[in-house]
């Protein structure tokens, strides 16, 4: 039997299914700030109603967020406890995944963007492509935090802003609870928002697990690897990050230290640096360069780390990425051609990793084309391994 639940939202969602994915029972109930009181009793009651017992559970599917920090931890702690006691496998799924698989189950095919309220006038946003061919639900962009104003400007008004050719913006549909809280913006923008699909449901974790069983088998199914997906740092972490970055910026702007190559120094990318970084990317990366809007949204995201390297007043390199759980995912690194072969990229990447470790990161990952032999050689020399 498969047991799925999600406690990261105001709604407590539980589903039980047979090993082949047939839903046996579901429960969706309002549990704002009381999921710790309702999860275990509700799960026990549902198992009894199905005429089975907890020992029949063969796999646990747990929502990892983003959403309520405390709620996500409650669900993960319960999943880990059950996994340890029963000796069964446990898998984590982002809450936003349930929307995508729910829309897939309802027959929708095409470009889907999920937007959930993240408070602070921000949204959790994830983008997917739904099709009739495996893997059926394909994530196009990782879940990220977006300011509400930026969301409606970027995703509702400027359809030319996307850089992914797989997405057909003419047929894009939106779902998530943002359509409720920000209904006036949705209506004004004329967005094709599916208002019938507002709350996530853990039963769709079952669909994700069954339809991608072979991929799930390859994943580490240990309870030790199950971690919350916050998408945004907590208030305490944001304060610590701001202090660390501020101290680093002051120190590096005031003097040249052992990391510098001649007159080279590093500092966090600020909004004032955006245009110069974009100009550098366009000169060195061509069509792979980011535009100013996209780079600005990433720099403003406090879960991201971006640094640039200067000689005197000129930016000669820039790069950055995002802290995703226990990993730092590198998005871009760009060096002025005149400074290649002088360890500038190595120093910049080391600086990014140094900041990422402040947040408990112990892995570095990225995607690079197989045809880009120079980049592949650089990352291999840095100590990275090809995962295929």
């Amino acid at each position: 039997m498969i047991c799925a639940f999600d406690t990261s939202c105001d709604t407590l969602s539980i589903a039980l299914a047979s090993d082949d994915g047939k839903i046996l029972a579901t429960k969706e109930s309002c549990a704002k700030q009381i999921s710790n009181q309702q999860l275990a009793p509700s799960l026990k009651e549902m198992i009894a109603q199905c005429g089975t017992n907890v020992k029949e559970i063969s796999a646990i599917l747990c929502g990892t967020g983003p959403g309520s920090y405390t709620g996500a931890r409650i669900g993960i702690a319960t999943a880990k406890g059950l996994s340890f006691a029963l000796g069964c496998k446990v898998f984590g799924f982002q809450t936003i995944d349930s929307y995508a698989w729910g829309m897939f189950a309802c027959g929708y095919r095409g470009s889907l963007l999920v937007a959930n309220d993240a408070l602070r006038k921000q949204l959790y946003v994830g983008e997917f492509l739904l099709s009739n061919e495996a893997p059926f639900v394909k994530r196009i962009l990782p879940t990220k935090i977006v300011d509400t104003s930026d969301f409606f400007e970027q995703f509702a008004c400027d359809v030319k802003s996307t850089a992914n050719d797989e997405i057909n913006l003419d047929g894009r549909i939106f779902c998530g609870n943002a359509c409720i809280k920000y209904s006036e913006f949705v209506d004004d923008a004329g967005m094709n928002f599916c208002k019938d699909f507002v709350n996530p449901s853990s039963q769709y974790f079952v669909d994700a697990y069954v339809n991608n069983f072979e991929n799930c088998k390859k994943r580490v199914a240990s309870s030790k690897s199950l971690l919350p997906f916050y998408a945004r740092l907590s208030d305490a972490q944001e304060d610590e990050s701001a202090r660390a970055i501020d101290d680093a910026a002051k120190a590096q702007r005031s003097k040249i230290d052992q990391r510098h190559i001649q007159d080279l120094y590093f500092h966090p990318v600020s909004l004032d640096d955006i245009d110069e970084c974009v100009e550098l990317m366009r000169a060195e990366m061509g069509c792979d360069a980011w535009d100013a809007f996209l780079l600005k949204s990433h720099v403003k995201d406090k879960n991201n780390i971006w640094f640039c390297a200067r000689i005197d007043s000129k930016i000669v390199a820039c790069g950055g990425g995002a802290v995703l759980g226990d990993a730092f995912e590198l998005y871009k690194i760009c060096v002025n051609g005149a400074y290649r072969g002088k360890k500038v990229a190595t120093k910049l990447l080391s600086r990014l990793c140094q900041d990422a470790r402040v947040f408990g990161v112990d892995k570095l990952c990225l995607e690079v084309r197989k045809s880009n032999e120079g980049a592949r050689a650089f990352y291999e020399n840095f100590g990275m391994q090809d995962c295929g």
Side-chain angles (χ1 to χ4, degrees):
M1 179 172 64
I2 300 170
C3 173
F5 50 81
D6 192 352
T7 58
S8 64
C9 299
D10 291 344
T11 301
L12 170 63
S13 177
I14 307 175
L16 297 176
S18 60
D19 288 338
D20 62 0
K22 181 180 179 180
I23 300 297
L24 304 176
T26 63
K27 181 176 182 178
E28 315 284 340
S29 60
C30 181
K32 187 175 183 179
Q33 298 182 348
I34 56 171
S35 56
N36 60 323
Q37 302 175 32
Q38 293 192 7
L39 177 56
S42 297
L43 187 55
K44 182 179 179 180
E45 179 183 359
M46 291 174 64
I47 291 174
Q49 290 175 350
C50 289
T52 184
N53 63 75
V54 71
K55 294 181 180 180
E56 297 298 317
I57 295 177
S58 58
I60 299 171
L61 316 180
C62 177
T64 59
S68 164
Y69 290 9
T70 302
R73 291 195 296 268
I74 288 170
I76 288 175
T78 303
K80 288 185 174 184
L82 285 172
S83 174
F84 179 79
L86 301 174
C88 63
K89 295 181 177 181
V90 58
F91 297 91
F93 292 89
Q94 289 185 31
T95 300
I96 281 180
D97 290 342
S98 68
Y99 285 94
W101 281 97
M103 293 293 288
F104 178 83
C106 292
Y108 177 74
R109 301 294 183 269
S111 173
L112 173 71
L113 197 141
V114 183
N116 265 5
D117 182 30
L119 304 179
R120 307 185 194 177
K121 296 183 180 180
Q122 292 182 317
L123 301 172
Y124 297 122
V125 176
E127 193 158 14
F128 301 85
L129 188 65
L130 281 53
S131 71
N132 290 321
E133 298 180 359
F136 307 115
V137 175
K138 180 180 180 181
R139 181 178 289 276
I140 299 299
L141 292 175
T143 303
K144 60 181 180 179
I145 286 282
V146 177
D147 289 341
T148 303
S149 58
D150 289 346
F151 172 78
F152 289 105
E153 178 183 350
Q154 173 78 356
F155 295 105
C157 302
D158 187 7
V159 297
K160 296 181 181 179
S161 61
T162 182
N164 196 307
D165 295 335
E166 293 185 86
I167 301 174
N168 177 12
L169 292 175
D170 294 335
R172 171 183 278 173
I173 195 169
F174 301 78
C175 69
N177 61 27
C179 68
I180 301 299
K181 184 171 183 177
Y182 299 101
S183 58
E184 67 277 13
F185 294 102
V186 171
D187 294 337
D188 290 344
M191 299 172 67
N192 187 15
F193 229 118
C194 180
K195 297 183 179 181
D196 296 327
F197 209 106
V198 176
N199 295 314
S201 177
S202 59
Q203 67 174 303
Y204 298 117
F205 291 156
V206 177
D207 289 343
Y209 174 72
V210 172
N211 283 288
N212 286 287
F213 183 69
E214 292 302 319
N215 289 333
C216 285
K217 285 197 302 184
K218 298 176 183 178
R219 290 166 54 184
V220 178
S222 166
S223 61
K224 294 181 181 179
S225 66
L226 189 64
L227 297 171
F229 182 85
Y230 291 145
R232 177 177 62 198
L233 301 178
S234 67
D235 290 341
Q237 287 174 313
E238 286 185 356
D239 290 343
E240 179 62 26
S241 173
R243 284 195 296 271
I245 291 176
D246 186 54
D247 291 344
K250 289 179 180 178
Q252 292 181 32
R253 286 183 185 273
S254 64
K255 64 179 182 178
I256 298 173
D257 63 16
Q258 66 272 20
R259 288 191 301 272
H260 297 162
I261 303 171
Q262 297 177 353
D263 295 329
L264 183 75
Y265 68 96
F266 304 91
H267 66 84
V269 174
S270 70
L271 297 182
D272 293 334
D273 301 321
I274 296 295
D275 289 341
E276 192 172 353
C277 287
V278 169
E279 184 179 349
L280 173 63
M281 286 188 190
R282 287 174 177 169
E284 300 297 333
M285 307 181 78
C287 61
D288 288 332
W290 283 8
D291 61 25
F293 189 97
L294 182 57
L295 181 58
K296 180 180 178 181
S297 67
H298 278 259
V299 170
K300 287 172 63 178
D301 189 336
K302 295 182 180 180
N303 206 41
N304 291 347
I305 301 172
W306 282 82
F307 268 78
C308 59
R310 285 183 182 271
I311 290 182
D312 296 327
S313 61
K314 179 182 178 181
I315 293 179
V316 298
C318 64
V323 176
L324 303 175
D326 62 346
F328 177 67
E329 182 172 354
L330 182 67
Y331 291 154
K332 289 285 184 184
I333 190 164
C334 179
V335 178
N336 184 311
Y339 295 91
R340 290 177 186 168
K342 298 181 179 180
K343 303 294 184 182
V344 174
T346 301
K347 293 288 184 179
L348 177 56
L349 185 53
S350 298
R351 189 67 186 86
L352 290 167
C353 292
Q354 178 183 328
D355 255 43
R357 291 191 188 98
V358 173
F359 307 114
V361 165
D362 60 7
K363 299 175 185 174
L364 172 65
C365 60
L366 74 152
E367 293 184 357
V368 61
R369 297 188 185 95
K370 288 186 177 180
S371 60
N372 194 343
E373 296 180 357
R376 294 172 68 85
F378 167 74
Y379 293 118
E380 287 176 359
N381 289 336
F382 195 77
M384 301 185 70
Q385 295 181 342
D386 186 351
C387 297

